[in-house]
Amino acid sequence: MDKVVLEVKKLSKHFGGLKAVDGIDFKLYEKEIIAIVGDNGAGKSTLIKTISGVYKKTGGQIYINGKEVDITSTIDSRRNGIETVYQSDGALDCFDAPANLFLGREKLLDNFLGRVFGIMDTRYMKKETEALLKKVGVEVKNISADVSDLSGGQRQSIIVGRAVYWGGHILIFDEPTNNLGATQQRNVISLIKRIRDEYGVSIIVISHNIAHVFELVDRIVVLKNGKKVGERLKKDTNPTEIVSMITGVHEHVVNFTSKKF
Amino acid sequence: MLTLSMKFILFSGTLVITRAVSITGFPKSLVFLGHENIGPIPMPVVVLVFMAIVFWIFHSYTAPGRIISAIGVNITTASYFGISVKKVEIYTSLISAVCAALAEIVMLGRATSGQQRTGYGMELDAVGAVLIGGRSLQGGVVTVRGVMFSVLILGLINNGLNVLGVDPLWRDAVRGAVISFAILIDQWERKQ
């Protein structure tokens, strides 16, 4: 747990005059799960989109396994072993599970038809998808069904499974339990934990569900207005402290039962 | 907007080059796609069926076809998946241009003379066919089968108006009305 796999130094992303991410530093250790929390607009999504190459950084450095990397596109981040699961638009609804798993990295037939005409090896992709879903413990009755016909949990498991399948060693999850039912939230949380244990990957989770954060992670980084306001090991903190860091309001300052109001 | 202005520039260009005179006397090798028959089947039908099969295979079984569909379904997701949207858009325009050129050769063969106004206004048919056969102008899944059926429908409407003896001057109005109706249905479905 003491090897740093990802380090971000003074990372910034400005949109014109808006400093969405402003000089953030943090480290991610091997086999660690950290949470990045913050209020809406704190810069969580922008931060991970900058690390994943959706946005180009305005300033700062990103180090992977101690080496500085230049990430300017989503392809760059994948090449460096970063796989990201986005909050929305993570899967194509009217495509089936194999198409979603292999999108942009389709397996071609290993013959003339594949090399010259780009004909896909659909049988291989289907078999791999079935094996992967079995591994992540998801049961999908009809693998050729459109992803939109699956439950939210199954859909999320496919997206999470895809990140593992492509061999990422740093996985980023943006609100993985959002819009899911209670049981499915449970399943996704245990799936993320299992992935860390089985594959030895490091994971960044973005969430505003503090209960889930405390269940899942080892360390919590708090953002506010594009800046890091603090970070705590889970064992050294409690939800109340984290919430007050997020809101910037300490309990003793606002006392709603006070007669003064 | 750029597409529309380009259309005017090129149309004007053809008028200037040809001095607005129609061209005749093309070699047989150029007009045979629109002019000849294979047995009882006219060449344009053969070309249509061939292209439909090619694009059906392209769309359903090849990686580039799937990537183009992916961008149509959700452009944000496609870019998250590491697909270079701009590059694919350029290739798609190229494919479309090659198809338009092929269509023009077929039309040339049918008329056996080069008219400057051939195909003028047919872009509405092309867009209409995709709209009626698929889902939406804003993107979505369009199947080759769907487009083939809508091309057939638009063709039948055109031909039906001829057979019924409707004043040809009204023909464009009817075509426009059919396509507008399809757009209205699409918008209405979107609101549901």
Side-chain angles (χ1 to χ4, degrees), chain A residues 49 74-75 78 86 88-90 92 94-95 99-100 103 106 117-120 125 162, chain B residues 57 60-64 66-67 69-70 73-74 76-83 141:
Chain A
K49 280 184 178 163
T74 48
I75 300 168
R78 284 176 166 191
Y86 298 95
S88 52
D89 302 309
L92 286 175
C94 40
F95 279 35
N100 266 294
L103 187 70
E106 283 81 2
F117 296 108
I119 305 274
M120 296 177 289
M125 295 199 284
R162 193 187 72 223
Chain B
I57 292 171
S60 315
Y61 296 102
T62 74
R66 178 165 285 177
I67 285 169
S69 307
V73 172
N74 190 336
T76 318
T77 309
S79 63
Y80 285 164
F81 278 65
I83 292 170
V141 170

